[in-house]
Amino acid sequence: MSEKAVSEPQHDTYPDSYIRAILDDVKTIAMVGASPNTVRPSYFVLKYMLSKGYEVFPINPGHAGKEILGQTVYASLADVPSPIDMVDIFRNSDAALAVTQEALQLSPLPKVIWMQLSVTNEEAAKLAEAAGVRVVMNRCPKIEYGRLSGEIGWTGVNSRTLSAKRPALKGGFQHRGLRKD
Amino acid sequence: MSDRIPGFSTLAIHAGAQPDPSTGARVTPIYQTTSFVFDDVDHAASLFGLQAFGNIYTRITNPTTAVLEERVAALEGGTAALAVASGHSAQLLAFHTMMTPGDNIVAANKLYGGSINQLNHSFKSFGWEVKWADANDPESFAALIDDRTRAIFIESLANPGGVVVDLEAISKVAKAHNVPLVVDNTLATPYLCRPIEHGADIVLHSLTKFMGGHGNSMGGVIVDGGSYDWSSTDRYPMLSKPRPEYSGMVLHETFGNFAFAIACRVLGLRDLGPAISPMNSFMILTGIETLPLRMQRHSDNALKVAQHLAGHDKVAWVSYAGLPSDANHERQQKYMPKGAGAVFTFGVKGGYEAGVALVSNCQILSHLANIGDTRSLIIHPASTTHRQLTDEQKTAAGAGPDVVRLSIGLEDAEDIIADLDQALASV
Ligand SMILES: Cc1ncc(COP(=O)(O)O)c(C=O)c1O
């Protein structure tokens, strides 16, 4: 893949290498709109990303001070006590702009603004990219991690990846990773 | 890995099949086990709650079968797939996910006879109705759709009549009425035709036939095209409503554009149970690796045999979409230009007795009730599969007294032709 494609992603078709680089690079994720309800998609994603070794900070003003899956919930991005590599937006497309503006006030800046499946906001994307922050829209990090690690194939999902290399395993019996650890 | 989009033959060999993570085995191992250990209680809870990817029990997922599923999803251009015990159980699970009692399916009148039985009789006891449309007339589907219609069901290349349906016209009707289009692609296989590219929402296969290709294993598959919006109406509660089976989870919201395949698995396969054996998944996977080579040879051989029979003085007619004179040829050129497949029918002069004599005289063609084998197969429906019908019913079903069905195999075309010639010589 060319360098150009890395710096100027097309927001309807991200190259796998772009997504993989993000998931490799990021260590901490703030999840805006995280829910304590165990059947909500945000809960699934939070649980999955924790199991893959990411540190995840749930953001939800209605539950601030409580815990989800053992993680303290914060009212806002600014309240998170340590640097945030990626802001994962589990809000509707309109709300994504304000969340992005808030994220761009952080110091240090996050490396990535990620909007969940069905969430897109071009204005937010432009703002973030102008600040040198990578953007992913209308994708789910759990699905992308499962796809690129090959785990999602266990459920018959088309990962759209081919490889003659042995997949990387993580600790435990049924855990794949993006790299050997 | 590069971001290049692989071609069909590469996908047929590689899709879904990385080396085995624990042993490095290059060929997908046969995971002949019923169950899988959990890491711990929390891991088990995540798996049962659908929060983690992984294996619990082979009725629901199996690593060998998963490779087959991803392989077929990739070949069809779908988002996900579910492999099951047979083509018929794929149909059962796909419709189970869409239907409630009193709902109906608008189906093409040109389908495999077993599917006509399934829809006409077995599905009735679930309260699922069927309305039969003219496979050759897209408008006839539109005329039958009502507010209880949950799906349109067709075969891309119908067994055995060789009808090539107008996928794009029927897909237009489906979209205009916001009803998903379900296509059985068994006879064409994705090598010859990819229905999702022509507007199908769900693709089904009997993997027993050309996908496995060697006449050794039963199997079926449901491919999710990822294109239908299950939440656009209240008609598909398995996808759009909170499910009591999973503490109120909404499957479409949770799994997005592969929710249909997940619903067929975690509601249909889990509870109705027609799982494919890992051994069969392995056999079918091995078959699929050569699908492009085989389907081309099947089609090339079938065309040679059809051309020969069309000029034979004991043959009254030949119905094969690959022949330029055939009524379906134009649509074949549009939807499956690489070939018209292996299966076709012809009429032998001399009627019922001649048909019986012909199948008995064959030495290389096998007299049996299957299609899609490396071996060439022959059957006289009037004396076998359609025996119980009246003459009028036989003719209506395309199984009149003179009809002979062939599934042309991968032998030398000259030998198939010579066998048919000697068999016809003494009828
Ligand atoms: C077009 C078609 N669909 C479905 C089926 C049913 O598949 P199975 O026999 O694997 O249940 C068949 C079997 O002949 C078929 O030809």
Side-chain angles (χ1 to χ4, degrees):
Chain A
M1 204 190 66
S2 71
E3 281 307 305
K4 191 165 179 292
V6 175
S7 57
E8 289 172 25
Q10 296 296 306
H11 286 297
D12 41 359
T13 54
Y14 300 103
D16 287 348
S17 49
Y18 177 77
I19 300 286
R20 180 183 283 274
I22 287 175
L23 293 173
D24 255 350
D25 196 16
V26 159
K27 304 282 179 282
T28 60
I29 302 172
M31 185 182 285
V32 181
S35 169
N37 179 341
T38 58
V39 298
R40 299 300 302 157
S42 63
Y43 183 91
F44 278 40
V45 176
L46 191 124
K47 187 165 186 180
Y48 186 78
M49 297 316 271
L50 280 175
S51 80
K52 294 302 171 192
Y54 295 93
E55 193 173 352
V56 188
F57 309 110
I59 312 288
N60 187 333
H63 296 274
K66 297 180 194 156
E67 284 188 354
I68 303 177
L69 289 162
Q71 310 303 300
T72 304
V73 181
Y74 298 98
S76 72
L77 288 170
D79 293 343
V80 177
S82 43
I84 298 167
D85 293 337
M86 174 166 120
V87 176
D88 182 13
I89 306 179
F90 258 101
R91 300 283 311 278
N92 63 40
S93 295
D94 291 339
L97 179 59
V99 176
T100 302
Q101 284 165 335
E102 207 184 315
L104 295 177
Q105 300 299 315
L106 295 170
S107 173
L109 272 182
K111 299 171 182 172
V112 180
I113 301 280
W114 187 302
M115 302 179 212
Q116 275 295 323
L117 265 184
S118 82
V119 183
T120 53
N121 190 311
E122 294 294 340
E123 196 183 340
K126 284 211 182 72
L127 275 182
E129 279 165 358
V133 174
R134 281 172 283 174
V135 175
V136 176
M137 298 197 284
N138 190 26
R139 292 286 185 284
C140 170
K142 177 187 175 192
I143 291 175
E144 296 303 305
Y145 192 103
R147 207 168 65 71
L148 296 171
S149 67
E151 269 193 5
I152 206 167
W154 285 332
T155 342
V157 175
N158 184 0
S159 69
R160 291 177 280 112
T161 62
L162 303 185
S163 172
K165 298 278 181 259
R166 194 164 148 183
L169 287 179
K170 293 182 81 72
F173 294 115
Q174 298 186 46
H175 288 284
R176 289 192 185 177
L178 293 183
R179 57 186 121 67
K180 308 250 188 280
D181 66 359
Chain B
M1 206 193 68
S2 79
D3 291 312
R4 227 186 105 77
I5 295 172
F8 189 89
S9 298
T10 306
L11 291 175
I13 292 166
H14 287 280
Q18 274 182 269
D20 184 57
S22 45
T23 62
R26 185 62 194 93
V27 170
T28 299
I30 306 165
Y31 283 94
Q32 192 70 27
T33 180
T34 56
S35 341
F36 302 83
V37 293
F38 306 117
D39 264 6
D40 51 39
V41 172
D42 188 49
H43 180 225
S46 294
L47 290 172
F48 280 108
L50 307 182
Q51 293 160 342
F53 307 114
N55 300 292
I56 300 174
Y57 189 60
T58 286
R59 172 154 36 77
I60 306 165
T61 63
N62 174 277
T64 310
T65 299
V67 176
L68 173 63
E69 291 166 338
E70 191 175 347
R71 179 82 46 89
V72 180
L75 292 176
E76 287 287 4
T79 53
L82 172 66
V84 291
S86 64
H88 265 10
S89 53
Q91 293 164 205
L92 169 64
L93 294 193
F95 290 119
H96 173 257
T97 302
M98 294 186 257
M99 309 286 288
T100 57
D103 291 342
N104 66 68
I105 302 164
V106 173
N109 59 355
K110 293 283 186 291
L111 293 181
Y112 161 58
S115 300
I116 292 180
N117 281 336
Q118 188 188 49
L119 278 97
N120 261 343
H121 305 299
S122 296
F123 283 4
K124 286 258 161 71
S125 51
F126 302 141
W128 306 345
E129 304 297 323
V130 58
K131 303 195 212 182
W132 297 106
D134 178 353
N136 284 307
D137 177 11
E139 281 313 306
S140 72
F141 289 81
L144 291 171
I145 293 173
D146 62 27
D147 61 0
R148 296 303 299 269
T149 301
R150 295 296 174 264
I152 293 180
F153 183 45
I154 59 178
E155 287 176 13
S156 50
L157 175 60
N159 177 14
V163 174
V164 180
V165 301
D166 192 342
L167 282 169
E168 285 171 11
I170 296 176
S171 149
K172 261 201 204 121
V173 170
K175 288 193 168 52
H177 292 84
N178 192 19
V179 169
L181 174 60
V182 182
V183 178
D184 180 335
N185 199 30
T186 298
L187 262 68
T189 82
Y191 174 73
L192 295 177
C193 176
R194 307 210 319 159
I196 292 169
E197 289 172 0
H198 302 291
D201 298 295
I202 308 292
V203 173
L204 307 179
H205 281 276
S206 167
L207 298 172
T208 314
K209 317 299 179 192
F210 297 95
M211 297 290 270
H214 294 70
N216 57 25
S217 305
M218 301 293 299
V221 74
I222 300 163
V223 182
D224 189 344
S227 45
Y228 190 76
D229 182 358
W230 304 104
S231 305
S232 63
T233 67
D234 288 339
R235 293 174 181 167
Y236 303 97
M238 286 211 188
L239 288 133
S240 67
K241 297 277 183 265
R243 292 312 300 183
E245 298 92 329
Y246 291 97
S247 332
M249 184 192 301
V250 179
L251 292 179
H252 188 212
E253 173 190 65
T254 306
F255 295 103
N257 68 358
F258 54 88
F260 186 80
I262 297 281
C264 289
R265 183 189 303 280
V266 305
L267 301 175
L269 181 58
R270 189 195 72 161
D271 294 352
L272 298 174
I276 187 171
S277 112
M279 180 70 196
N280 281 19
S281 295
F282 175 82
M283 299 298 283
I284 294 167
L285 265 176
T286 304
I288 289 177
E289 294 189 3
T290 55
L291 178 69
L293 298 171
R294 288 187 292 102
M295 272 327 274
Q296 193 60 59
R297 178 71 171 266
H298 275 298
S299 298
D300 294 349
N301 274 359
L303 182 58
K304 286 182 195 162
V305 175
Q307 279 164 339
H308 178 78
L309 289 175
H312 199 288
D313 60 8
K314 293 215 170 143
V315 172
W317 52 268
V318 176
S319 169
Y320 183 59
L323 294 174
S325 56
D326 193 86
N328 285 279
H329 188 64
E330 206 179 303
R331 276 184 267 172
Q332 181 254 320
Q333 289 292 303
K334 173 170 181 186
Y335 291 112
M336 39 199 82
K338 290 201 286 277
V343 177
F344 68 93
T345 52
F346 68 95
V348 59
K349 288 183 186 162
Y352 188 92
E353 279 69 34
V356 170
L358 170 60
V359 296
S360 322
N361 290 346
C362 285
Q363 298 296 325
I364 290 180
L365 285 95
S366 304
H367 179 206
L368 56 76
N370 189 27
I371 55 169
D373 196 325
T374 54
R375 282 152 277 270
S376 290
L377 314 175
I378 187 166
I379 196 161
H380 178 230
S383 60
T384 54
T385 51
H386 292 66
R387 191 186 189 100
Q388 75 284 9
L389 303 184
T390 65
D391 279 356
E392 294 73 49
Q393 287 173 320
K394 282 177 187 158
T395 305
D402 65 331
V403 176
V404 175
R405 184 186 75 187
L406 298 175
S407 173
I408 298 300
L410 306 178
E411 303 96 336
D412 291 293
E414 297 70 25
D415 293 331
I416 303 167
I417 289 170
D419 193 35
L420 285 166
D421 277 351
Q422 68 78 23
L424 281 164
S426 49
V427 303

